[in-house]
Amino acid sequence: MGRGRDGFRGPMLGAVALGLGLWGCSAPGAGDEAERSRAEVMPQVQLAPDDRVPHEISVAGTGVAFRMVPVPGGSVDGRPVEPFWMATTEVTWEHYLELVLETSDRAAAEAVDGFARPSRPYISIDRGFGQQTRPVISVSARAAHTYAEWLSRKTGGRFRIPSVDEWRLAALAGGSSADASQAVARETAQGRSAPVASLAPNRLGLYDLVGNAAEWAQDAAGPVVLGGSYRDPRARLSPLMLETPNAAWNQSDPQIPKSTWWLADAGFPGIRIVAEALPAAATPVAP
């Protein structure tokens, strides 16, 4: 990457005195069943044929490169889902920090059509787990949407976070929850995130849909996180896990107003992007 990440890590992600004790705490409601919902019946999923191949995407001027795989259209409980593209892994810290670094200067950020920039976190927002190829965590739905918008601006593609039905179609991969469950967070027992793609992908080529970081998705009623995370017991992890954000996720943030980018008390939400259209410069690769 070579763009001052080490310099950023200290002032931007280093713990400030007010929040020094927060990164090790668990999120409020971690054991509260009322804060979670889990479907009793596995959704009925159907996939359509699809002859598209994966594509590699590089973001000019950054160290960001990632792969998108085609997810066939189909249906979830009879609801139609159009074909789309999904990133093989969750967004990592080394990728997300490119957005933060590029927009850290207010004048530079505002020069790009008023593009909003993430605020400075006041705690060690990676929870002490490490950065690099681990999934970005502690981010709000706004941060997830902004990252997708930033990618779209940088590449000419059309990126966003998935809908709940899109995410579940990809996770169930043709009706088999076992495929998706291959990618549970391997460090769950230690209560910390792990580098992405450490285990086998599901049969669509997607890693870590279940576990590691929970992933933002868009429901008709608003944003939710899906798939569970490193904090959940392995036996509980499922593609059906869904959590709805609430004020407790950022309750201990002393800033006025509270950050709309970083979550002081919820260290588990992360980001996976989908695309309606890939950039023109995307490169086809063998499956």
Side-chain angles (χ1 to χ4, degrees):
M1 303 262 291
R3 297 180 60 220
R5 187 194 302 122
D6 290 339
F8 171 87
R9 232 182 239 149
M12 293 291 282
L13 293 187
V16 175
L18 283 173
L20 191 59
L22 289 178
W23 62 260
C25 69
S26 60
D32 185 355
E33 295 300 321
E35 292 299 320
R36 300 166 184 242
S37 63
R38 185 173 180 180
E40 295 295 328
V41 180
M42 190 71 69
Q44 295 297 308
V45 174
Q46 292 184 337
L47 291 177
D50 195 332
D51 58 3
R52 296 174 298 166
V53 300
H55 279 63
E56 196 82 20
I57 297 170
S58 297
V59 182
T62 76
V64 175
F66 57 95
R67 182 169 294 194
M68 304 287 289
V69 297
V71 178
S75 64
V76 176
D77 282 342
R79 296 182 297 274
V81 177
E82 294 297 318
F84 61 98
W85 301 84
M86 180 173 268
T88 56
T89 70
E90 295 155 336
V91 174
T92 62
W93 279 109
E94 64 181 356
H95 287 181
Y96 189 75
L97 291 185
E98 289 287 352
L99 160 65
V100 179
L101 286 166
E102 183 170 302
T103 60
S104 60
D105 177 75
R106 181 180 295 273
E110 292 177 349
V112 187
D113 195 23
F115 189 80
R117 65 189 181 101
S119 61
R120 283 177 174 267
Y122 80 102
I123 60 173
S124 180
I125 213 70
D126 64 2
R127 265 54 185 179
F129 301 161
Q131 297 170 21
Q132 298 295 323
T133 60
R134 291 179 188 267
V136 63
I137 54 174
S138 310
V139 288
S140 68
R142 179 184 184 185
H145 286 300
T146 300
Y147 182 79
E149 181 186 355
W150 176 77
L151 270 183
S152 299
R153 289 169 179 256
K154 294 287 288 185
T155 66
R158 295 203 305 273
F159 296 100
R160 56 178 172 79
I161 65 173
S163 70
V164 171
D165 280 349
E166 286 172 334
W167 190 95
R168 285 184 168 161
L169 184 72
L172 294 169
S176 172
S177 60
D179 284 346
S181 295
Q182 289 183 50
V184 295
R186 70 292 305 150
E187 294 189 30
T188 294
Q190 287 74 41
R192 57 191 294 119
S193 66
V196 300
S198 296
L199 294 182
N202 72 9
R203 63 188 178 195
L204 290 177
L206 301 166
Y207 298 85
D208 304 315
L209 278 164
V210 175
N212 219 5
E215 300 177 9
W216 282 108
Q218 192 68 31
D219 200 356
V224 295
V225 293
L226 301 175
S229 69
Y230 62 84
R231 69 180 187 147
D232 295 300
R234 187 184 184 99
R236 180 181 166 78
L237 288 168
S238 161
L240 303 183
M241 293 185 70
L242 180 153
E243 297 182 69
T244 302
N246 59 67
W249 287 17
N250 209 26
Q251 185 173 0
S252 66
D253 185 345
Q255 301 174 103
I256 301 175
K258 294 181 184 295
S259 175
T260 59
W261 301 93
W262 308 99
L263 301 173
D265 304 295
F268 51 92
I271 307 169
R272 187 186 300 263
I273 55 168
V274 300
E276 298 173 4
L278 297 181
T283 305
V285 294

